[in-house]
DNA sequence: GATGAATGAGTTTTCATTCAT
DNA sequence: GATGAATGAAAACTCATTCAT
């Protein structure tokens, strides 16, 4: 561990942190674990990061930025609501296939520990949510999405669905083979596409009050 | 805190624990916090519980048992899939209105901390999930739910949606007034009812591959 | 170390702290040292004191309060300036004979580390100084002390003299036998008594400018 | 920081060290602070000094040597005791006016931290003290100083007085304007000159035992 | 000579848990 | 049952010092 730029080193350490957080959670991970994983002395970790918390913060910032960026760009594409839902679903579910450890870390800590759903991260999460909310709203404006449903509620339900499924992958309560992943992707997509499709006079369904 | 049966004392302590876990999370809560909240010396906590972990375990057992029990009984009712979805959704969303602290605790720790989605708790969660899965499966058998969708995926998506919305309530990123809660309830219900309704030849939608 | 009231325990721990601070200085003393000296686990030290700094603070408060109190009461006695100087000098120099470790600790850390000559301790030190200043000023008013000298400067010089001599004792650069201590006491007393005595027309001396 | 001889570099670094020690004390000063102040990488500090301790040692050596040298030369001058006291007092008090940071550092660490009043520094301090002691002793031999007082005690009292006043300047508990500095200088000088002046039959004063 | 990345021993502090009363 | 004093393992963090470039 000699050369490498400061940025590369920070990246290397935060990659190690992702691995450890995914494996043992934030509280379960000691700085020494991260250092060992990064093949670095733990003193060096403090050379690059002020504290344990700064590591998570840094890690979240980069990864969430990426995630939010993708959702944002999908939202901008003018391809119709259903295509957008499909694209976002695919991207999120595929992310797990590509980088399960990262998703595990995000699922384990970001989503899972209230402490980090605060400040910046909360705002990023909200940005992702509001991206979806906008898609729904635009879809409603274009008549592609029925209007009798709250777009904010939809956005929460959508990301909740994805998160839940990813959690299922992480905790192995859902099968993770390619077919199963594909099935999950289709399931969510279909659920939201059909669930939001306008129907005849709309508002038709509204189950009668119990 | 003098008389009271052992069971009452355990209950009192675990109620205090719920409050504190909701407020500060599992790791952020010290035994002393729970003791103070329960107006009890912290030494006494160890008379009633072997360890901090046993407190959460006990707490989850009772609350999840209740929750799972309700879902179970709804599943048993022969009222048709849509009515069941409606009932479960109502029950879960209403729970927050009735006992927000409990939901916060469950959301903060049970759902959110991998450590506890293990062992018994994982099994309980799975029981809830499989209850929903069974409803979907039965609905499919009765022709009330379209068949081109994986019931397990649906159950994850459903509970994920609910959890996400409850989290929104807990973190105040969703409005919590009665109208908003009602809107959330309707949104989830409609989404899943319409999203799962069989359509003409079914499998119709499947967005073409990008 | 089982019974004993909280106050007694705090006292016991701070006595141990005095010993260690005297021996190794504040920075050189580890909590573990204090704990060992007090025959107590170091965890217990934190039961009674929030932090290492609180220990010094507590220690200073009690000891300085005592010291300042004595000076204060001497100041109040109407016995003439010379008697007062004599009394204060005796008290301070004798203190070392009675409790050398305490004086060492005070000399080592309180007087010697800028950090602690702040806040409350600074104020206490100032109270001691201003006590002496008042004595000088009163002496001037009564014609017992010559007026051509700044009372504040005198008070600093006086305590500086004492401190310096105590330091000599602590660092063994001055002999500590009874005769030597007596000699020190007389020296300081005579110096200040004669040095401040009014002379004929006063202001006589003022060495001509070099 | 490219050219410059080794000696110049050592001097530059130790000047920076003086500033930092004055500002934050020895323990509060990190090598990095000194390096930053000297506009040098902290690695380089180790090219010029073996350790942090060597920096203080070096710094003391030069400064104390200077100080001791001046006192020594004053002692050698045959100008009578009172003129000597005047000269030493002026030199010491003026030093603060000329280089307050240096005095602060000396006051903060040298005088104030037992650890460094050891070995060489202790010896230097003793040299200064013994210089004054010699002046007193010589004065006694010449009949200029009364004999009923221990010269060693006088020397401690004298330097203690000066130190205390300088500390007052450093900690701003004494005014630092020119008039106040002048007043301090006169005060100490007068106190010791008159306080040590032989009186008729000498030993006259000795306050009666309480 | 310079630089600053790398190291790791050493310390404080926290807190679950035990235990004497 | 009840209390809270006592314990000590565990972990974060600091910083003097070394060393490769």
């Amino acid at each position: 561990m000699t050369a490498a730029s400061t940025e590369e080193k920070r990246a290397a350490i935060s990659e190690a942190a992702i691995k450890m957080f995914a494996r043992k959670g934030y509280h379960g991970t000691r700085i020494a674990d991260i250092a060992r994983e990064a093949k670095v002395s733990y003193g060096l970790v403090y050379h690059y990061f002020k504290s344990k918390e700064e590591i998570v913060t840094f890690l979240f910032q980069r990864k969430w930025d990426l995630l939010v960026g993708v959702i944002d760009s999908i939202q901008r594409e003018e391809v119709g609501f259903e295509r957008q839902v499909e694209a976002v679903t695919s991207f999120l579910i595929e992310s797990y296939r590509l980088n399960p450890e990262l998703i595990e870390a995000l699922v384990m800590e970001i989503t899972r520990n209230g402490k980090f759903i605060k400040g910046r991260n909360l705002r990023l999460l909200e940005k992702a949510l509001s991206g979806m909310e906008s898609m729904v709203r635009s879809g409603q404006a274009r008549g592609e999405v029925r209007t009798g449903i709250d777009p904010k509620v939809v956005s929460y339900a959508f990301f909740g669905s994805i998160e839940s499924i990813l959690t299922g992958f992480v905790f192995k309560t859902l099968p993770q083979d390619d077919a199963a992943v594909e099935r999950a992707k289709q399931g969510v997509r279909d659920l939201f596409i059909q669930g939001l499709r306008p129907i005849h006079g709309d508002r038709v369904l509204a189950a009668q009050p119990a």
Side-chain angles (χ1 to χ4, degrees), chain A:
Chain A
M1 293 299 108
T2 357
S5 76
T6 290
E7 273 321 301
E8 278 165 346
K9 220 38 178 297
R10 280 174 74 91
I13 290 170
S14 66
E15 286 306 318
I18 286 174
K19 279 209 183 69
M20 293 316 295
F21 288 156
R23 213 172 298 162
K24 314 171 75 165
Y26 177 79
H27 281 107
T29 299
R30 283 160 298 142
I31 294 291
D33 295 329
I34 296 171
R36 197 180 320 106
E37 180 68 34
K39 303 246 177 68
V40 136
S41 77
Y42 60 85
L44 197 61
V45 173
Y46 284 94
H47 204 73
Y48 290 101
F49 295 94
K50 210 159 78 297
S51 68
K52 195 179 172 183
E53 184 140 2
E54 211 202 63
I55 299 174
V56 227
T57 302
F58 175 79
L59 189 159
F60 288 173
Q61 179 174 336
R62 297 189 56 127
K63 300 305 176 179
W64 273 104
D65 276 355
L66 177 72
L67 201 142
V68 169
V70 170
I71 290 168
D72 213 52
S73 78
I74 290 172
Q75 185 203 331
R76 271 182 239 292
E77 288 179 48
E78 307 232 325
V79 294
F81 179 72
E82 303 197 351
R83 272 281 199 271
Q84 287 179 326
V85 168
E86 160 129 33
V88 177
T89 307
S90 285
F91 169 70
L92 292 173
I93 304 271
E94 285 302 325
S95 293
Y96 177 76
R97 214 179 337 218
L98 293 172
N99 194 349
E101 265 165 350
L102 170 60
I103 298 299
E104 281 181 47
L106 291 169
V107 160
M108 283 285 279
E109 291 305 326
I110 303 167
T111 321
R112 297 203 161 258
N113 192 318
K115 189 181 177 188
F116 301 118
I117 312 197
K118 287 203 177 131
R120 177 172 177 78
N121 297 130
L122 188 51
R123 259 170 283 126
L124 281 169
L125 184 57
E126 279 168 358
K127 244 181 122 180
L129 285 164
S130 78
M132 173 55 69
E133 193 185 329
S134 296
M135 291 187 218
V136 175
R137 225 178 274 285
S138 305
Q140 289 177 324
R142 291 192 304 264
E144 291 171 37
V145 174
R146 66 189 161 81
T147 52
I149 197 161
D150 184 334
K152 202 181 267 290
V153 168
V154 172
S155 69
Y156 275 72
F158 178 74
F159 283 105
S161 295
I162 300 278
E163 195 232 289
S164 176
I165 286 164
L166 293 180
T167 303
F169 290 154
V170 170
F171 286 102
K172 322 279 186 225
T173 58
L174 276 180
Q176 296 110 59
D177 60 285
D178 286 4
V181 172
E182 203 52 42
R183 223 151 50 228
K185 209 195 292 181
Q186 285 182 6
V188 174
R189 183 194 61 193
D190 292 0
L191 202 45
F192 282 82
I193 288 179
Q194 184 183 318
L196 294 169
R197 204 169 266 171
I199 307 200
H200 354 297
D202 200 309
R203 285 273 60 203
V204 165
L205 48 110
Q208 306 78 329

